[in-house]
Amino acid sequence: MIEFSHVSASYDGELAVLRDVSFRIEDGSFVAFVGTNGAGKSTTMRLINGLLKPTEGQVLIDGTPTTELKTSELAQRVGFLFQNPDRQICNNTVREEMMFGFKALGKESPEAEVRADEIMAAFGLNPDDDPFLLNRGTRQLLALASIIVLQPPVVVLDEPTTGLDFRECTKVMEIIRRLHERGTTVVMVCHDMEVVADYAESIIVMSAGRVLAQGPTYELLRDRVLTQEASLVAPQMVALSLALGSQHPQLANTAVGQANTLSEMERALGLEIAEGGEPR
Amino acid sequence: MTGFLEYVPGNSLLHRMNPVAKLFCALLISVACFCTSNLIFLACVLIFDFALAAHCKMTRQAMGLAKAVTIFSLILAVIQLLTNSTGMVLVPLPWGYIGTGGVIGAVTIILRLVAAAVPLFLVMYVTKMTDLANSVVKVLHVPYKYAFTFTSTVHFIPVFMNDMAGIMEAQTARGVQFDQGSIVKKIRLMVPLCIPLLVSSVRKTNSAAIAAEVRGFNLRTRESGYKQYPFATLDVVSLVICVCILVVAILLGVLL
């Protein structure tokens, strides 16, 4: 479990980037942090894996304050995927990159190699490829794979879909979804509300270094006051159902007015919409 | 807060000077420091450097630089101490002794390097890189591509430092312990990080070169810039003072 208790943080002891932030993330959950640039999301991620220590309050990982844990100890509990994979990749082959984490933690073993092989096969990565010659999406996949191979119980993702095209984005997010389904706690920062709506179970809305709200994704994304305050744009499906509800008051309290997903909308309208968008 | 070699805005005398004059003044002071070993002269130059830094409200940057140069010059100072066995014996060594001559030599090295480095770096902090490049092109007729290469190099230093910090952070998050072990172990851990830094540097410089080229970089000549950089009274007076400092240093070096 990850727990923030009245946490404030700053860089170089200057202006506070986070102010009195408190929340709790249960084991096995999939939480997304949303908010504008400068809201404090990435700082929160850095606090979770101990790269930054709080100036006030406590960050607890399974009940232990991060101030009492070495970053290398935290690395075994919390895997961190950076926004830019090029800052992470530092080996000449995909295989070496996959094994780098084990080497750093002094956990190289034949079992580790087998696990690396399995993950590379699952991700469609060629062990002998030069990581620096891969395209952006594949480099991001490799960076993610080299984190997952260490099997941390918590995975923190700082904008994992930035710079990826739709197919690459879907591939990365589906892998993350499967990871979550196997019990890994996923904490993600993401600006793409469609991705957040599709994958995150709950969200934490941040603005100007504070937590505005924490709760189920669709419940919060339907809150117009909250989304306005945090300068968020609700996903299209939520916007459509809200618009239907407000334009046609008779629909507001029906399934149509409250639909959050395409399938809900289909059910509410009694339609079955084909993949291409045409009603069948 | 400003980064390494990042322009600090201001309206001090140094800020207002012609960039070329500033550069020459700094060079003259630096050369002067190497023309004499007179400790009083070097101490006076150092005081002058810090007075200038205080005037430009950059005492913090000057102190930071002085600290970094002192650490670097300590290596040379130790060599001086161990190899310059002159003067009164202070500590006997198997191959000679540490003498007063060695101590004075070590102090001279530290003072000289700090006194010579501070004005050069101050010039970088009080001058916009574009002004420095444009002025050397206009006044000294240096081809623009060389001026641009120099300013780009300086511009990229903080960028690469930031990249290196990011890369180290990414590796720390994977369990690499940069804060533990011997210096040899730390160096061994740092070596693999040169690869992503090199890759990102090449990518950045390549992008910058393409971006410059598509905007007509090769068409730029000395006449392209509209801004003029005339020498004012302040520049001439400053240059005269710095030439006097150099002459004094040469005389002290020759006479003493």
Side-chain angles (χ1 to χ4, degrees):
Chain A
M1 189 178 67
I2 301 165
E3 191 177 352
F4 274 51
S5 173
H6 302 286
V7 171
S8 295
S10 68
Y11 294 98
D12 303 328
E14 291 187 354
L15 194 70
V17 191
L18 283 194
R19 280 169 289 174
D20 196 25
V21 166
S22 296
F23 61 81
R24 186 185 289 188
I25 296 172
E26 299 296 337
D27 286 341
S29 50
F30 193 143
V31 182
F33 281 77
V34 294
T36 53
N37 283 337
K41 307 180 299 293
S42 292
T43 305
T44 308
M45 300 302 109
R46 291 155 64 90
L47 282 159
I48 292 175
N49 78 339
L51 287 173
L52 189 67
K53 305 292 182 196
T55 47
E56 280 173 46
Q58 276 191 320
V59 178
L60 303 160
I61 306 290
D62 297 328
T64 313
T66 53
T67 45
E68 290 175 17
L69 292 165
K70 280 191 248 165
T71 315
S72 54
E73 284 176 315
L74 268 167
Q76 296 177 55
R77 298 190 195 191
V78 182
F80 196 105
L81 178 70
F82 285 80
Q83 189 180 343
N84 183 358
D86 295 340
R87 289 195 165 173
Q88 190 180 313
I89 295 168
C90 62
N91 290 283
N92 295 323
T93 65
V94 167
R95 178 185 292 282
E96 284 174 29
E97 188 60 37
M98 292 291 288
M99 294 303 293
F100 184 83
F102 290 113
K103 269 189 199 171
L105 298 170
K107 289 188 172 177
E108 266 186 301
S109 67
E111 292 77 30
E113 290 203 22
V114 171
R115 203 191 304 160
D117 285 340
E118 285 170 2
I119 301 268
M120 281 188 283
F123 278 58
L125 296 167
N126 181 355
D128 300 319
D129 276 351
D130 183 336
F132 297 106
L133 300 178
L134 300 172
N135 66 37
R136 173 69 164 80
T138 315
R139 291 205 302 277
Q140 185 76 324
L141 270 180
L142 171 60
L144 178 61
S146 65
I147 298 294
I148 290 173
V149 76
L150 300 170
Q151 295 184 313
V154 178
V155 173
V156 176
L157 312 159
D158 193 358
E159 299 185 36
T161 58
T162 303
L164 304 186
D165 65 27
F166 179 72
R167 203 161 47 168
E168 290 167 341
C169 169
T170 309
K171 193 173 179 184
V172 168
M173 288 313 299
E174 283 304 319
I175 286 168
I176 294 166
R177 190 206 293 271
R178 286 202 294 275
L179 194 69
H180 169 240
E181 283 167 357
R182 286 201 296 269
T184 306
T185 307
V186 178
V187 183
M188 172 176 84
V189 167
C190 192
H191 283 291
D192 188 336
M193 289 301 123
E194 303 292 338
V195 171
V196 170
D198 283 347
Y199 294 94
E201 289 171 346
S202 62
I203 58 173
I204 294 179
V205 184
M206 294 192 75
S207 176
R210 292 180 190 279
V211 170
L212 294 184
Q214 179 178 11
T217 307
Y218 281 110
E219 204 177 299
L220 295 191
L221 289 179
R222 291 180 66 85
D223 185 337
R224 281 181 164 159
V225 178
L226 178 68
T227 50
Q228 241 169 12
E229 194 181 347
S231 303
L232 297 175
V233 178
Q236 288 183 356
M237 190 49 66
V238 173
L240 176 64
S241 70
L242 284 171
L244 281 172
S246 60
Q247 295 286 316
H248 306 282
Q250 70 275 21
L251 295 177
N253 294 319
T254 67
V256 175
Q258 292 172 2
N260 289 318
T261 63
L262 184 62
S263 53
E264 280 177 29
M265 187 68 80
E266 283 175 358
R267 270 197 301 276
L269 293 170
L271 291 171
E272 197 183 330
I273 298 172
E275 216 170 272
E278 293 293 321
R280 280 199 284 258
Chain B
M1 190 175 159
T2 53
F4 181 67
L5 290 185
E6 213 170 282
Y7 174 68
V8 179
N11 196 33
S12 66
L13 287 177
L14 217 52
H15 279 92
R16 292 203 300 273
M17 275 177 72
N18 182 299
V20 174
K22 272 188 259 190
L23 196 60
F24 270 112
C25 285
L27 282 171
L28 286 169
I29 294 173
S30 299
V31 171
C33 292
F34 286 93
C35 288
T36 178
S37 298
N38 188 299
L39 276 177
I40 296 167
F41 175 83
L42 292 174
C44 289
V45 172
L46 195 60
I47 292 166
F48 177 65
D49 290 347
F50 275 96
L52 268 180
H55 170 64
C56 305
K57 295 190 174 68
M58 281 185 299
T59 314
R60 189 179 58 79
Q61 284 95 334
M63 291 295 283
L65 176 71
K67 194 177 153 193
V69 176
T70 304
I71 292 167
F72 169 75
S73 54
L74 274 176
I75 302 165
L76 299 174
V78 169
I79 295 170
Q80 182 74 220
L81 268 181
L82 299 177
T83 55
N84 184 2
S85 301
T86 54
M88 206 170 72
V89 179
L90 296 173
V91 182
L93 296 169
W95 61 88
Y97 64 92
I98 293 176
T100 48
V103 173
I104 291 168
V107 174
T108 307
I109 282 177
I110 295 171
L111 269 182
R112 176 180 285 155
L113 288 179
V114 176
V118 169
L120 285 170
F121 279 86
L122 269 185
V123 168
M124 300 292 178
Y125 279 114
V126 296
T127 315
K128 284 181 186 165
M129 280 298 131
T130 46
D131 279 339
L132 194 61
N134 291 338
S135 61
V136 293
V137 171
K138 282 270 180 196
V139 182
L140 302 178
H141 297 201
V142 172
Y144 182 71
K145 59 180 169 186
Y146 296 123
F148 181 78
T149 306
F150 170 73
T151 53
S152 300
T153 308
V154 174
H155 167 76
F156 272 119
I157 292 170
V159 175
F160 292 150
M161 283 168 72
N162 185 40
D163 275 0
M164 190 63 183
I167 290 164
M168 283 181 73
E169 204 169 61
Q171 305 310 329
T172 307
R174 298 169 86 184
V176 180
Q177 295 172 313
F178 290 106
D179 52 351
Q180 285 180 357
S182 64
I183 186 89
V184 179
K185 193 188 167 199
K186 281 178 190 167
I187 290 169
R188 277 175 59 192
L189 289 172
M190 298 278 277
V191 169
L193 307 193
C194 297
I195 300 167
L197 186 66
L198 189 69
V199 169
S200 81
S201 317
V202 172
R203 280 200 180 126
K204 277 200 178 91
T205 44
N206 192 37
S207 307
I210 291 167
E213 210 156 340
V214 296
R215 286 182 289 169
F217 177 79
N218 287 321
L219 301 173
R220 179 148 185 159
T221 61
R222 193 164 67 85
E223 287 75 31
S224 300
Y226 75 92
K227 209 171 168 185
Q228 300 299 320
Y229 296 92
F231 272 52
T233 316
L234 171 67
D235 304 310
V236 178
V237 171
S238 307
L239 278 169
V240 170
I241 292 171
C242 290
V243 169
C244 291
I245 292 173
L246 179 63
V247 170
V248 171
I250 292 169
L251 288 175
L252 284 170
V254 173
L255 298 175
L256 300 177

